[in-house]
Amino acid sequence: QVQLVESGGGLVQAGGSLRISCLASTNIFDFNRMAWYRQTPGKQREFLADINVGGVTNYADSIRGRFTISRDGAAKTMFLQMSSLRPEDTATYFCKAMILRREFWGQGTQVTVSS
């Protein structure tokens, strides 16, 4: 079974930068698509960005221009580089991988942005 593990979260100041990672247990090019989401307590999970096998990316309006999704196939890792962070970016960030209609999720990594 596919396992996904997020890491790199922490406490940062507003305006700062942070890079979070999603390590997969399998070749990431086995996935049709990988994506980043975030969620705060009491709210629905929010789509942030995704990348397909061909490297085509999509970004949500809320983070476009500030966050960048990327991957390293040899390291079996997907990244989210976050800059110009704001307190409203505080959330648990989740990694998702898709194989056709099957979905796999990590347990999340907490990002807290202080004002």
Side-chain angles (χ1 to χ4, degrees):
Q1 292 294 317
V2 173
Q3 294 181 346
L4 302 171
V5 180
E6 300 93 339
S7 63
L11 176 64
V12 298
Q13 290 183 293
S17 299
L18 196 65
R19 186 198 196 198
I20 57 175
S21 303
C22 172
L23 175 65
S25 63
T26 187
N27 177 10
I28 62 173
F29 295 104
D30 289 344
F31 305 129
N32 298 109
R33 184 175 299 275
M34 298 185 74
W36 285 103
Y37 288 73
R38 67 185 179 190
Q39 188 170 29
T40 56
K43 297 182 179 179
Q44 292 187 328
R45 195 161 293 185
E46 176 190 10
F47 168 81
L48 299 176
D50 63 10
I51 184 167
N52 71 8
V53 170
V56 178
T57 59
N58 294 285
Y59 293 95
D61 289 341
S62 60
I63 55 87
R64 186 178 290 111
R66 297 190 298 123
F67 294 7
T68 302
I69 189 171
S70 63
R71 64 191 177 188
D72 183 337
K76 300 179 181 179
T77 304
M78 178 179 67
F79 303 98
L80 187 67
Q81 177 66 49
M82 303 179 288
S83 62
S84 301
L85 284 164
R86 307 162 181 168
E88 52 263 43
D89 293 320
T90 295
T92 303
Y93 285 71
F94 295 91
C95 172
K96 182 177 79 172
M98 300 175 63
I99 303 176
L100 297 178
R101 300 184 71 85
R102 299 181 66 192
E103 297 182 352
F104 304 91
W105 292 89
Q107 293 299 310
T109 186
Q110 178 67 34
V111 173
T112 302
V113 184
S114 64
S115 59

